[in-house]
Amino acid sequence: MKFSRPSAFVFLALALLMTVMGASAAEPDATETARRTWQLLDYIAVDYAGAVADGKVVRESEYMEMTEFAQTAASSLSALPDSAARSRLQIDADELKALVAGKAEPRVVATKAHALASGLLKAYPFPLSPSRAPDVARGATLFASQCSTCHGSGGHADGPLAANLNPHPTNLADRTRARERSVAALYQIISQGVSGTAMPSFQASLSDEDRWALAFFAGTLAYTDAERSAGAAAWKSASAARELVGTLDGLAQTSESALAAKIQPTAAAQVVAWARSHPADLAGGTRSTSLTRARLTESVEAARAGDRATATRLALSAYLDGFEPLEPALKVRDAALMSEVETAMGNYRSKVATGTAPEVESTAASLFALFDRVDTRLAPSESDAVSTFVGALTILLREGVEALLVVVAMIAFLRKAERRDVLPYVHAGWVVALAGGGVTWLAATYFVGISGASRELTEGFSSLFAAVVLLGVGMWMHQKSVAGRWQIYLQAKLSAALNQRTAWLLFGLSFVAVYREVFETVLFYAALWTPGNGLPLLAGLGSGIVVLGILAAVLLRTSARLPIGQFFAASSLLVAVLAVVLAGKGVAALQEAGMLSVDPVAFPRIDALGMHPSLQTLLAQAAVIVVVVVTYLINTRTGPKFSPDSRALDD
């Protein structure tokens, strides 16, 4: 067994990535189908009233459109992944078609369409809210420049082009329609457009953040200034409203009619008018477990009904869409509680997959108790600035040290081996990774919302890739550390091992090792940032950079003083440990993304070592350790014996 070229291990890593990514390629199609079907159902709920009244068709063209949309929605459901929930949804879709065909009352059709859309979202969750509070003033500017020529400056469908359009533009100030329409529905229309009308898709021309800002502004046009003024007081006095609309997710998805079913109708209109105009002022903001609780409750209901597939999807949504965005702030204030919740949510998913309904309910009950503690810890306090500084510092150090160790080990090795000509490849790798982090920050801030699943998959794949490559490098370095082999290696002047292909491998390893940490850090910082805490955040970032710089200098100076034989031995041990850590982190991330199952075991969670209390992560790390031990035994048994000359050279 010979490991003279670590670049060979890259092919195994790439094969792993291609296999796993190929297996998950169908998921975006299902998500897009669910999203478009949801949009159709919302459109029916809102616009059916303009087609039928008192059991008679009042606008033939619009009624034909409603009939077509109901048929299309029913057909689209059959393209979704099979589950017990899909069967129920198809029955409801057939009932909706029958209601439309029978010219049922608009209120009945709207209720049925909204219920079907809600059931669809529960069974096939997809993100339906902005990643941060939209800038409504920005939305007003966009509306004036992009929409007013058709919809008019006040949304009354009286713009200069409106008279020549067929069908006529939607009257966004029409209260009857507005009370049925959520901001999320407006966002979908702005993003996808409406076929057969002059309403175009703005997905290519406007960023995700701008589309949400535009949707929120458009959602305010049916309400008066008096309602907005009264809304702040109504919000404070209506606990049911805060429970339903207390997060951006709830605000985006809640219509006035849905809220009016919970509180007095006048108060519902006032709350909606105020909240849509002031999304950043919601009590608790996005730092609340409201969405997590809602998804978990729906998951328990699905599990109780025997629909494990839907319960699993909702459990994943509870974590990825609800809890994960809270992690950066919670980790700063109570890292132990964050780990406890993560472990408990993994255990819950395991119970959903294999446990009984009572076991699922019991595990969920313990989670709700943990969420109470989370909400308490995330409540605003006077120490927020200090917490932000400490959090920014510790996040950078935690994420940066692993990458630093990998890059410093490669630099020190190349210096020891007198192959400084390959150093530019390593430096280029981490520089490009930092630049990629900047692009990620721009994308996450201004263009797209990076979902929790995407984040976990990126971390999982990159961790496993780096673990495989490091394992190969560690085997090779240990082989050279065995007595005499480093001598032969140096005498060959590394010409065979450090060829162009291996140089590019070192570039790739440097890039992956740094980018996976930069990616995680960028998303943590984006979630940690809130208006007013920019200075503490930047101070923590700057302090972390200084500490990492000092640590890099110390490591490079220390490695330069080691005899080359000891250096090879120490480096091989370091990269082997890193491979074990990254293997555990990679598998854990894929579990959190729902790609791998979770089988809990009684074992302590040690984040620094990548150890998680699940059978899958521990087996992955055990497999890496077995490979390391076997390689060590093979290398030591087959290696040449020490000679006086080799010992002298080592000294």
Side-chain angles (χ1 to χ4, degrees):
M1 184 179 293
K2 220 172 171 184
F3 300 100
S4 59
R5 294 195 180 184
S7 57
F9 290 90
V10 73
F11 299 111
L12 177 58
L14 290 176
L16 172 65
L17 294 181
M18 291 175 66
T19 299
V20 177
M21 292 177 71
S24 61
E27 186 62 25
D29 293 335
T31 299
E32 186 60 27
T33 299
R35 191 190 303 273
R36 289 185 178 276
T37 306
W38 185 93
Q39 181 181 350
L40 286 174
L41 293 170
D42 185 86
Y43 205 83
I44 293 170
V46 175
D47 283 15
Y48 178 82
V52 175
D54 298 324
K56 297 179 181 179
V57 175
V58 294
R59 290 188 62 182
E60 184 66 32
S61 61
E62 194 152 345
Y63 177 71
M64 294 300 294
E65 186 179 57
M66 295 297 101
T67 302
E68 178 187 353
F69 284 176
Q71 177 61 52
T72 302
S75 300
S76 298
L77 289 174
S78 62
L80 294 171
D82 190 20
S83 69
R86 191 187 73 174
S87 299
R88 292 196 300 272
L89 291 174
Q90 288 178 315
I91 293 173
D92 290 340
D94 289 337
E95 292 177 358
L96 177 62
K97 284 168 50 182
L99 289 173
V100 173
K103 305 176 184 61
E105 287 299 312
R107 180 183 56 80
V108 176
V109 171
T111 300
K112 188 66 176 181
H114 277 318
L116 181 54
S118 177
L120 174 65
L121 186 60
K122 291 179 182 179
Y124 302 93
F126 55 86
L128 206 60
S129 65
S131 58
R132 66 188 73 230
D135 183 349
V136 182
R138 167 69 174 166
T141 301
L142 289 169
F143 188 88
S145 63
Q146 304 284 340
C147 311
S148 61
T149 54
C150 296
H151 292 281
S153 59
H156 294 278
D158 55 356
L161 300 181
N164 298 321
L165 295 178
N166 185 22
H168 203 66
T170 297
N171 182 356
L172 296 171
D174 179 358
R175 192 57 169 271
T176 301
R177 292 188 175 190
R179 71 185 309 274
E180 299 292 342
R181 178 162 280 155
S182 66
V183 174
L186 290 167
Y187 168 81
Q188 291 295 322
I189 293 172
I190 292 168
S191 299
Q192 306 296 336
V194 180
S195 60
T197 74
M199 179 64 194
S201 166
F202 287 92
Q203 191 152 1
S205 57
L206 294 179
S207 69
D208 186 75
E209 191 172 52
D210 279 349
R211 281 178 276 134
W212 275 113
L214 184 54
F216 266 80
F217 175 75
T220 68
L221 292 173
Y223 300 95
T224 65
D225 290 338
E227 287 174 319
R228 278 185 279 274
S229 298
W235 168 261
K236 292 179 181 178
S237 63
S239 59
R242 293 194 299 274
E243 182 179 347
L244 188 62
V245 192
T247 65
L248 284 178
D249 189 89
L251 176 58
Q253 295 182 38
T254 302
S255 65
E256 179 191 332
S257 63
L259 186 57
K262 301 285 186 179
I263 64 175
Q264 200 271 338
T266 301
Q270 294 170 348
V271 166
V272 169
W274 173 80
R276 290 182 182 178
S277 301
H278 304 84
D281 295 339
L282 289 181
T286 56
R287 292 186 178 181
S288 164
T289 59
S290 296
L291 176 59
T292 314
R293 292 171 185 268
R295 289 285 188 270
L296 192 65
T297 299
E298 293 164 0
S299 176
V300 172
E301 292 173 355
R304 192 181 293 124
D307 189 352
R308 293 184 187 270
T310 299
T312 298
R313 281 194 292 269
L314 288 165
L316 282 172
S317 180
Y319 176 75
L320 295 173
D321 300 324
F323 181 72
E324 192 179 48
L326 307 177
E327 286 188 348
L330 182 59
K331 192 174 186 70
V332 170
R333 302 187 180 198
D334 196 333
L337 177 57
M338 190 203 76
S339 297
E340 191 175 352
V341 174
E342 281 189 333
T343 301
M345 295 194 81
N347 291 343
Y348 175 79
R349 293 196 298 273
S350 177
K351 293 297 183 184
V352 167
T354 61
T356 63
E359 289 175 331
V360 170
E361 293 173 5
S362 175
T363 307
S366 64
L367 268 171
F368 284 121
L370 288 175
F371 295 155
D372 291 338
R373 293 168 55 193
V374 170
D375 286 335
T376 300
R377 297 296 289 143
L378 291 179
S381 68
E382 295 181 359
S383 62
D384 278 354
V386 175
S387 298
T388 299
F389 171 81
V390 173
L393 174 62
T394 55
I395 286 171
L396 185 61
L397 293 180
R398 186 184 73 249
E399 304 297 336
V401 167
E402 283 182 15
L404 182 68
L405 290 175
V406 174
V407 173
V408 166
M410 287 190 287
I411 293 173
F413 159 67
L414 292 172
R415 287 180 176 178
K416 278 284 187 182
E418 298 181 0
R419 288 301 305 265
R420 294 178 181 269
D421 57 305
V422 186
L423 281 173
Y425 289 87
V426 176
H427 290 306
W430 66 261
V431 168
V432 172
L434 291 179
V439 173
T440 301
W441 176 80
L442 288 172
T445 303
Y446 297 106
F447 301 110
V448 298
I450 299 178
S451 69
S454 298
R455 171 175 158 176
E456 296 298 345
L457 290 174
T458 299
E459 182 179 357
F461 291 149
S462 59
S463 295
L464 292 178
F465 173 82
V468 172
V469 175
L470 283 173
L471 186 59
V473 171
M475 293 174 179
W476 176 80
M477 294 185 78
H478 179 261
Q479 187 188 52
K480 301 308 174 189
S481 73
V482 177
R485 288 186 176 175
W486 59 267
Q487 261 189 298
I488 301 171
Y489 181 70
L490 288 181
Q491 289 171 359
K493 296 181 180 180
L494 296 93
S495 58
L498 285 183
N499 54 25
Q500 193 75 5
R501 184 175 66 180
T502 308
W504 279 108
L505 170 65
L506 294 180
F507 166 85
L509 180 58
S510 176
F511 172 82
V512 170
V514 174
Y515 181 73
R516 66 175 293 275
E517 307 297 351
V518 171
F519 177 82
E520 189 78 359
T521 301
V522 164
L523 296 183
F524 268 124
Y525 273 38
L528 193 60
W529 181 86
T530 58
N533 74 347
L535 186 59
L537 191 70
L538 291 176
L541 172 64
S543 301
I545 291 173
V546 171
V547 173
L548 289 176
I550 294 173
L551 180 60
V554 171
L555 289 173
L556 287 171
R557 286 179 63 86
T558 302
S559 63
R561 296 174 180 175
L562 285 176
I564 193 166
Q566 294 179 21
F567 172 79
F568 269 105
S571 298
S572 62
L573 177 61
L574 171 64
V575 296
V577 171
L578 287 174
V580 173
V581 172
L582 291 173
K585 289 188 172 183
V587 171
L590 295 182
Q591 287 178 317
E592 290 173 354
M595 186 161 285
L596 298 178
S597 60
V598 180
D599 292 319
V601 296
F603 195 86
R605 175 179 175 133
I606 308 175
D607 286 325
L609 298 179
M611 292 182 175
H612 292 72
S614 79
L615 181 63
Q616 290 79 3
T617 55
L618 295 178
L619 285 178
Q621 291 186 309
V624 175
I625 293 173
V626 168
V627 172
V628 170
V629 171
V630 170
T631 303
Y632 171 82
L633 294 175
I634 292 175
N635 286 339
T636 52
R637 290 181 180 179
T638 60
K641 297 180 179 179
F642 274 109
S643 66
D645 292 338
S646 67
R647 189 180 297 109
L649 283 170
D650 188 41
D651 295 336

